């Protein structure tokens, strides 16, 4: 045997080399290969189980590494408020995401998962992140005060998109469920603050946030092809397709009753722009169109979005979106999976009962109810986005961007956005005697109202928790009260009392008062409101203070609220929307360091009985019309 030992060893080594060489050269892992070649090579290697795993998105709480490996899970998300640990650092997030990713990479084919999160006004789930104004505020921004109505500041939202992408990537996450491009037609809707405007033209312009998040498309890119420009950018998600802002009486997830001209003329146009700008994903709406659930609407999801608009990214459901195809939800899950996947949804946000979804879809395919071609279409789209992003080459996050989270540069950008998002609705009881800008130097001023010293109220819903959080402990930021104290002259005495009695106000000889009131935080259906009133004791604070001293009322809200009963008594009114963490931007404009430039992107009604009421309606009689906004000049010294 001894004389055969050397050749035998050589043969074994040769065989080993062949195996290694074959293992090392997998076309789908070679970034030099064309995208189509890589997808084709990977697809032919995949089993049905691996393909269905790619279509499955689960919540991080159930995304154990063993689950990722066993079920070939393609995507993981954080729901609102779902964090690794309370007040988690960027490093905490990276460690969690990488641990989950290692589970995905340990599978036979090593397909990386994509982690998604709602970063809808900055990286809003994460402690110490910069929280930008919600979209309703960004919609009113203007390039300068001489601009005509309808010409926004798209460069601002593009810069906000770029900053948000850096902060999301700072925590190891490559996918943001933003922007919301709903056209809110009724402020009673609890998501109205996620909409830039009632006017689809403004919403279309604001899709410029997409190249901010993803990067600018290369020249001569094909229409509809997703694009993400490297490790400092994130995949974006245009949502919620389509008509979510037009539901009857503004009821969340309800029925949008409108003809085709209305749907395609008002609610669809921003999707054209999003697709032209290379948006990677589209999320389907919970709502219905004329009684048909969007999650089951094959004509619109496949027929229009994919086939007509040639969208090449992937379509994702909303949270348990397919469950809600039936009423009550989950009443017939097999039907829901069949209807949702057959409609053209590629990735299902399950998010926890992954066994049930995987088993159900597997059975539907094996029983030839859902064709393999539909599964292959979904998986190709998901792989296209992952390959475009470079996830195969860089699946694990590093610490190189951690200093971007809540950076001073981003906070300055948010402060700029706050300044530009403020709308001055009234300035003085007569035009000859404006109250604003306020003098910084005054013996004694009063600051009042529930929202003056409450960072959580300033930020609104979708901040740290899904429904938002009251108080000043949620994250790092500057309240409006803190900003006022920092801005006024050191000799000015600032007295803060949340809800002072009228006698207190009268007896203290204040030079003027700043009253900050509005709505408490809410999100989605919890925010649906039929009365749209300022939260108590806001109205009594206005009456007590503004009846006794010159006052400016700053309204912190996610939409127009009932103001008409108080306007006559108030000297000046400012719509501040939901400004986020940088309250200093409010003080910058109140005290004249910058002028007011914002123009309403929403009609401000007189009474809720008028709703829905939008610009162009026949009986249009608002308190403040669409496009309204008084301007002031910055003052050098005051």
């Amino acid at each position: 045997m001894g004389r055969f030992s050397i050749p035998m060893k050589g043969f074994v080594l040769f065989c080993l080399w062949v195996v290694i060489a074959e293992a090392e050269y997998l076309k789908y892992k070679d970034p030099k290969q064309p995208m189509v070649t890589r997808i084709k090579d990977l697809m032919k290697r995949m089993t049905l189980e691996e393909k269905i795993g790619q279509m499955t998105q689960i919540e991080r709480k159930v995304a154990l590494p063993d689950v990722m490996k066993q079920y070939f899970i393609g995507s993981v998300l954080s729901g609102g408020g779902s964090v690794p640990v309370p007040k988690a650092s960027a490093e905490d997030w990276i460690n969690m995401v990488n641990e989950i990713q290692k589970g995905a990479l340990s599978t036979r084919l090593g397909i990386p998962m994509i982690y998604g999160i709602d970063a809808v006004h900055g990286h809003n789930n994460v402690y110490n992140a910069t929280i930008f104004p919600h979209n309703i505020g960004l919609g009113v921004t203007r390039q300068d005060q001489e601009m005509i109505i309808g010409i926004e500041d798209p460069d601002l939202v593009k810069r906000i998109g770029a900053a948000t992408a850096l902060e999301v990537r700072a925590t190891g996450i490559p996918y943001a469920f933003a922007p919301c491009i709903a056209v809110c037609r009724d402020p009673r809707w609890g998501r109205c603050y996620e909409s830039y405007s009632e006017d689809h033209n403004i919403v279309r312009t604001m899709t410029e946030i997409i190249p901010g998040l993803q990067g600018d498309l290369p020249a001569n890119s094909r229409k509809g092809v997703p694009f993400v420009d490297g490790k400092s950018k994130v995949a974006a998600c245009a949502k919620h397709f389509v008509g979510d802002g037009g539901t009857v009486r503004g009821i969340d997830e309800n029925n949008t009753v409108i003809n085709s001209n209305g749907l395609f003329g008002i609610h669809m146009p921003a999707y054209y722009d999003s697709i032209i700008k290379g948006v990677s994903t589209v999320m389907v709406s919970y709502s219905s169109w004329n009684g048909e659930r969007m999650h089951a609407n094959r004509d619109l999801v496949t027929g229009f979005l994919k086939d007509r608009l040639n969208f090449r990214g992937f379509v994702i459901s909303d949270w348990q979106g397919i469950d809600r195809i039936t009423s009550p939800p989950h009443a017939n899950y097999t039907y829901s999976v069949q209807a949702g996947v057959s409609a053209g949804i590629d990735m299902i946000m399950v998010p926890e009962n992954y066994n049930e979804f995987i088993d159900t879809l597997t059975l539907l395919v094996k029983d030839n109810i859902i064709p393999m071609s539909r599964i292959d279409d979904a998986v190709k789209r998901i792989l296209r986005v992952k390959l475009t992003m470079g996830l195969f080459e860089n699946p694990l996050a590093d610490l190189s961007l951690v200093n971007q989270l809540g950076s001073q540069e981003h906070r300055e950008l948010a402060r700029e956005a706050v300044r530009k998002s403020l709308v001055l609705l009234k300035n003085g009881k007569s035009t000859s005697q404006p109250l604003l800008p306020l003098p910084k130097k005054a013996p004694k001023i009063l600051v009042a109202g529930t929202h003056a010293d409450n960072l959580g109220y300033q930020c609104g819903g979708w901040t740290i928790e899904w429904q938002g959080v009251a108080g000043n402990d949620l994250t790092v930021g500057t309240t409006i009260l803190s900003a006022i104290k920092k801005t006024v002259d050191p000799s000015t005495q600032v007295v803060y009392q949340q809800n002072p009695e009228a006698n207190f106000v009268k007896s203290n000889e204040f030079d003027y008062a700043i009253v900050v009131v509005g709505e408490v935080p809410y999100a989605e259906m919890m925010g649906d409101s039929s009365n749209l009133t300022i939260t108590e004791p806001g109205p009594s604070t206005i009456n007590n203070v503004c009846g006794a001293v010159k006052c400016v009322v700053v309204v912190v809200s996610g939409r127009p609220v009932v103001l008409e009963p108080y306007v006559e008594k108030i000297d000046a009114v400012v719509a501040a929307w939901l400004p986020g963490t940088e309250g200093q931007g409010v003080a910058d404009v109140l005290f004249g360091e910058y002028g007011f430039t914002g123009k309403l992107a929403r009609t401000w009604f007189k009474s809720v009985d008028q709703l829905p009421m939008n610009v162009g309606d026949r009986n249009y009689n608002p308190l403040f019309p669409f496009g309204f906004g008084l301007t002031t000049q910055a003052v050098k010294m005051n």
Side-chain angles (χ1 to χ4, degrees):
M1 293 291 290
R3 60 195 172 124
F4 294 108
S5 60
I6 291 174
M8 184 62 74
K9 281 181 183 174
F11 178 71
V12 170
L13 288 170
F14 173 76
C15 291
L16 193 60
W17 177 83
V18 169
V19 170
I20 291 169
E22 194 173 68
E24 281 181 349
Y25 189 67
L26 299 169
K27 285 184 181 178
Y28 75 89
K29 288 191 173 182
D30 184 356
K32 294 175 184 169
Q33 288 286 347
M35 176 86 67
V36 66
T37 303
R38 297 178 74 183
I39 292 172
K40 189 176 180 180
D41 180 63
L42 182 49
M43 288 289 293
K44 75 179 182 185
R45 300 173 189 273
M46 294 176 75
T47 64
L48 176 61
E49 289 72 25
E50 286 166 330
K51 289 176 179 179
I52 288 176
Q54 284 301 300
M55 297 172 67
T56 308
Q57 185 180 65
I58 64 175
E59 221 285 330
R60 55 155 287 278
K61 287 180 282 192
V62 297
L64 301 172
D66 286 349
V67 171
M68 302 299 294
K69 183 176 182 179
Q70 182 179 346
Y71 295 96
F72 313 104
I73 301 297
S75 186
V76 177
L77 83 152
S78 278
S82 180
V83 300
V85 293
K87 297 188 176 180
S89 65
E91 290 86 351
D92 290 329
W93 280 94
I94 287 170
N95 291 337
M96 178 198 69
V97 173
N98 281 350
E99 193 66 23
I100 296 169
Q101 185 69 282
K102 286 171 186 173
L105 296 175
S106 70
T107 54
R108 182 178 71 93
L109 296 170
I111 304 171
M113 66 88 192
I114 181 172
Y115 197 106
I117 196 164
D118 285 283
V120 297
H121 62 138
H123 199 7
N124 50 260
N125 268 291
V126 176
Y127 182 80
N128 197 36
T130 308
I131 307 298
F132 292 92
H134 267 296
N135 289 354
I136 191 167
L138 298 181
V140 309
T141 56
R142 296 293 185 270
Q143 290 177 324
D144 64 61
Q145 60 199 44
E146 300 303 322
M147 283 287 177
I148 61 169
I149 294 166
I151 306 298
E152 302 74 39
D153 185 355
D155 176 63
L156 176 66
V157 292
K158 185 176 181 179
R159 288 184 286 136
I160 288 170
T164 300
L166 284 170
E167 299 210 11
V168 172
R169 281 286 195 171
T171 57
I173 297 172
Y175 178 23
F177 304 130
C180 178
I181 54 172
V183 183
C184 175
R185 303 290 285 176
D186 192 326
R188 291 174 291 187
W189 186 37
R191 301 193 82 144
C192 202
Y193 63 76
E194 297 184 56
S195 168
Y196 293 107
S197 178
E198 69 192 43
D199 178 3
H200 68 272
N201 290 311
I202 290 180
V203 179
R204 294 186 74 171
T205 308
M206 291 303 182
T207 59
E208 195 62 15
I209 196 170
I210 290 169
L213 290 163
Q214 297 192 153
D216 289 307
L217 275 174
N220 304 318
S221 286
R222 284 174 56 210
K223 178 193 164 190
V225 175
F227 176 73
V228 181
D229 191 16
K231 292 166 69 176
S232 65
K233 298 294 182 180
V234 296
C237 180
K239 64 183 190 182
H240 307 85
F241 186 85
V242 60
D244 50 341
T247 58
V248 174
R249 296 187 300 281
I251 298 170
D252 192 39
E253 304 182 19
N254 201 23
N255 192 21
T256 298
V257 179
I258 195 170
N259 62 23
S260 292
N261 288 342
L263 187 81
F264 288 95
I266 296 170
H267 298 284
M268 192 68 82
Y271 286 94
Y272 309 150
D273 300 83
S274 299
I275 289 163
I276 288 167
K277 290 171 182 177
V279 73
S280 295
T281 72
V282 170
M283 185 183 292
V284 184
S285 176
Y286 286 131
S287 59
S288 304
W289 178 39
N290 296 336
E292 183 178 356
R293 287 282 184 192
M294 282 305 311
H295 274 75
N297 194 318
R298 190 179 188 282
D299 288 342
L300 286 176
V301 175
T302 295
F304 192 78
L305 178 64
K306 289 182 172 182
D307 295 344
R308 181 84 179 272
L309 297 186
N310 202 31
F311 172 62
R312 309 296 287 161
F314 68 79
V315 176
I316 186 169
S317 82
D318 208 331
W319 179 284
Q320 293 180 337
I322 60 166
D323 302 52
R324 302 189 205 187
I325 289 172
T326 60
S327 183
H330 207 81
N332 184 342
Y333 193 64
T334 301
Y335 168 74
S336 291
V337 174
Q338 178 189 341
V341 174
S342 297
I345 300 172
D346 304 308
M347 183 179 283
I348 309 299
M349 194 183 291
V350 176
E352 293 179 3
N353 295 328
Y354 53 86
N355 275 308
E356 183 185 24
F357 169 71
I358 290 169
D359 290 347
T360 303
L361 182 53
T362 301
L363 194 62
L364 286 166
V365 175
K366 287 183 174 177
D367 288 348
N368 296 315
I369 295 167
I370 292 179
M372 199 65 203
S373 59
R374 172 74 275 272
I375 302 299
D376 286 346
D377 172 60
V379 178
K380 283 175 187 174
R381 290 168 176 276
I382 292 164
L383 294 177
R384 183 179 293 122
V385 171
K386 290 183 176 183
L387 287 163
T388 300
M389 297 170 70
L391 264 185
F392 280 77
E393 288 69 56
N394 296 292
L396 296 173
D398 57 41
L399 301 176
S400 60
L401 294 173
V402 293
N403 64 340
Q404 296 289 337
L405 187 68
S407 72
Q408 191 56 39
E409 182 182 355
H410 296 165
R411 291 185 184 278
E412 287 301 324
L413 174 60
R415 182 175 171 181
E416 176 191 348
V418 173
R419 292 195 294 260
K420 291 179 174 179
S421 69
L422 303 175
V423 182
L424 183 56
L425 300 175
K426 182 180 180 181
N427 191 16
K429 289 184 176 172
S430 69
T431 52
S432 60
Q433 292 182 301
L435 180 62
L436 299 173
L438 297 167
K440 292 180 184 177
K441 195 167 187 176
K444 185 162 62 169
I445 67 172
L446 173 66
V447 179
T450 47
H451 291 55
D453 191 32
N454 197 310
L455 191 63
Y457 285 4
Q458 258 176 234
C459 292
W462 288 111
T463 309
I464 305 301
E465 298 285 350
W466 173 40
Q467 293 291 325
V469 185
N472 292 331
D473 297 329
L474 73 161
T475 192
V476 177
T478 303
T479 68
I480 294 170
L481 174 65
S482 299
I484 291 167
K485 288 179 175 177
K486 188 177 178 181
T487 304
V488 296
D489 189 86
S491 66
T492 298
Q493 181 185 355
V494 178
V495 176
Y496 170 60
Q497 195 165 120
Q498 196 174 107
N499 187 27
E501 295 291 334
N503 288 336
F504 171 84
V505 181
K506 289 173 184 173
S507 62
N508 267 276
E509 298 182 352
F510 294 109
D511 291 84
Y512 57 82
I514 302 170
V515 178
V516 192
V517 293
E519 295 185 298
V520 296
Y522 53 82
E524 298 187 59
M525 73 287 291
M526 308 294 188
D528 288 354
S529 172
S530 58
N531 55 35
L532 297 178
T533 51
I534 291 171
T535 303
E536 293 291 348
S540 62
T541 305
I542 292 172
N543 288 327
N544 289 347
V545 175
C546 298
V549 65
K550 285 188 295 183
C551 77
V552 53
V553 172
V554 178
V555 182
V556 175
S557 67
R559 53 203 164 187
V561 289
V562 174
L563 267 185
E564 191 187 34
Y566 323 112
V567 168
E568 193 173 335
K569 185 173 286 188
I570 299 168
D571 294 277
V573 182
V574 176
W577 315 109
L578 297 169
T581 52
E582 306 313 302
Q584 191 66 48
V586 177
D588 287 344
V589 185
L590 286 179
F591 292 96
E593 292 186 5
Y594 294 82
F596 281 92
T597 58
K599 306 290 183 184
L600 286 179
R602 294 213 60 77
T603 297
W604 203 295
F605 59 87
K606 290 179 180 176
S607 162
V608 290
D609 296 336
Q610 297 174 296
L611 299 176
M613 177 174 60
N614 295 283
V615 63
D617 287 356
R618 189 174 299 167
N619 299 313
Y620 191 69
N621 183 29
L623 183 62
F624 300 108
F626 175 90
F628 180 80
L630 302 173
T631 58
T632 61
Q633 299 292 327
V635 291
K636 295 290 183 185
M637 298 286 290
N638 70 333

